[in-house]
Amino acid sequence: MRPRLRALAGLFWVAMMLNASASKAGVWTMNPVLGILGDYSSNPALIDATGTTNTRVTSDAIQLSVPTVYQGDAFKGEVLPAGRLSNSSGYSTVTSDYAHLNLVGEYDTDLSTLTATGGLSRDSSLAYDYLTSAGTKGVRRDGSIVDLNWDQHATERLEYAIDVNTQRVLFGQAGVPIGELSDYNYTSVSPGVTWNGSERDKYTLSGGLSRYDSLNAREELDRKSTRLNSSHITI
């Protein structure tokens, strides 16, 4: 993941620097948050993996997030790193160690908004490895995601938008039965058109295309959808 992380962070940084240089205006803000967590519980009836009574369970963790935001005239950029380090392991981001980095860029004009989001993550899946860790250790999960969203107002009444999303998830399979967790790629495209007939009436036509590829089981799944919605506000 390191080459991808460096490339993603480098491109985002260059984009923000070019925008700052061109506009000669902008505000940087940073809001670091450090959390220290501790947990203690006593349960004489709790039996651990060795079959002995566990009368005390303790855990300590440190959580850190350093959201950094650049706000220019038309461009807004966010760098959102977060992580957790503890002396215990569990599932998902609730009790597992994790490292997340999300980058968000938004460019606005009078009639349109373009948003780009990219992220890399390492945490733990919701699947427990009960056989080797008595349900106290999750399975490592590495993820990456890229999302592009464009919203355009053609007229006061007509608006159209499109969202393109792709993500990749890889699991650490050690100690997990083959086939229980499957690495996958998922890509979706979602266009939409909205017509504002009046202050009370709105009509939306939206569609969707998606593709799921299982990298372990060689499974593929394609989906298509079309929806027409209308809404009326009664005062």
Side-chain angles (χ1 to χ4, degrees):
M1 281 181 27
R2 290 183 179 178
R4 293 184 180 180
L5 177 60
R6 292 173 181 171
L8 189 63
L11 289 174
F12 189 79
W13 185 265
V14 169
M16 289 195 294
M17 291 299 99
L18 289 176
N19 182 77
S21 177
S23 62
K24 302 299 182 181
V27 178
W28 287 89
T29 59
M30 180 181 294
N31 185 26
V33 178
L34 175 64
I36 300 177
L37 310 176
D39 179 75
Y40 172 85
S41 63
S42 178
N43 185 0
L46 184 63
I47 307 298
D48 63 17
T50 62
T52 59
T53 302
N54 188 354
T55 58
R56 183 183 63 171
V57 179
T58 60
S59 64
D60 304 293
I62 295 177
Q63 288 182 310
L64 176 65
S65 63
V66 190
T68 303
V69 179
Y70 170 80
Q71 181 67 64
D73 294 333
F75 178 81
K76 178 181 178 182
E78 297 179 78
V79 182
L80 307 172
R84 182 182 192 273
L85 182 64
S86 68
N87 63 352
S88 63
S89 58
Y91 68 95
S92 191
T93 57
V94 179
T95 57
S96 74
D97 294 344
Y98 65 83
H100 295 168
L101 175 61
N102 292 305
L103 308 177
V104 182
E106 180 180 310
Y107 185 78
D108 298 307
T109 67
D110 293 338
L111 297 176
S112 66
T113 298
L114 176 63
T115 305
T117 303
L120 296 173
S121 65
R122 169 167 286 187
D123 49 37
S124 180
S125 73
L126 292 173
Y128 266 148
D129 178 7
Y130 285 100
L131 298 180
T132 61
S133 61
T136 61
K137 187 177 182 181
V139 179
R140 192 190 76 237
R141 175 179 57 190
D142 294 328
S144 59
I145 183 171
V146 175
D147 183 270
L148 294 175
N149 183 278
W150 180 47
D151 187 279
Q152 175 72 42
H153 289 266
T155 65
E156 293 182 355
R157 296 179 181 271
L158 179 62
E159 174 186 358
Y160 48 87
I162 184 169
D163 183 87
V164 180
N165 179 286
T166 182
Q167 55 184 297
R168 180 182 180 91
V169 175
L170 304 176
F171 295 98
Q173 296 288 338
V176 180
I178 297 176
E180 181 173 326
L181 294 173
S182 178
D183 301 339
Y184 67 87
N185 292 327
Y186 179 79
T187 302
S188 65
V189 179
S190 303
V193 178
T194 300
W195 174 261
N196 297 293
S198 65
E199 294 182 354
R200 297 185 180 183
D201 297 311
K202 176 186 290 187
Y203 304 92
T204 302
L205 176 64
S206 60
L209 297 173
S210 65
R211 182 177 181 85
Y212 171 87
D213 292 325
S214 174
L215 304 181
N216 302 99
R218 300 182 182 277
E219 177 184 0
E220 298 179 356
L221 179 62
D222 295 324
R223 289 183 177 179
K224 300 178 182 179
S225 65
T226 303
R227 292 177 296 178
L228 176 60
N229 299 324
S230 63
S231 60
H232 177 76
I233 300 177
T234 302
I235 300 177

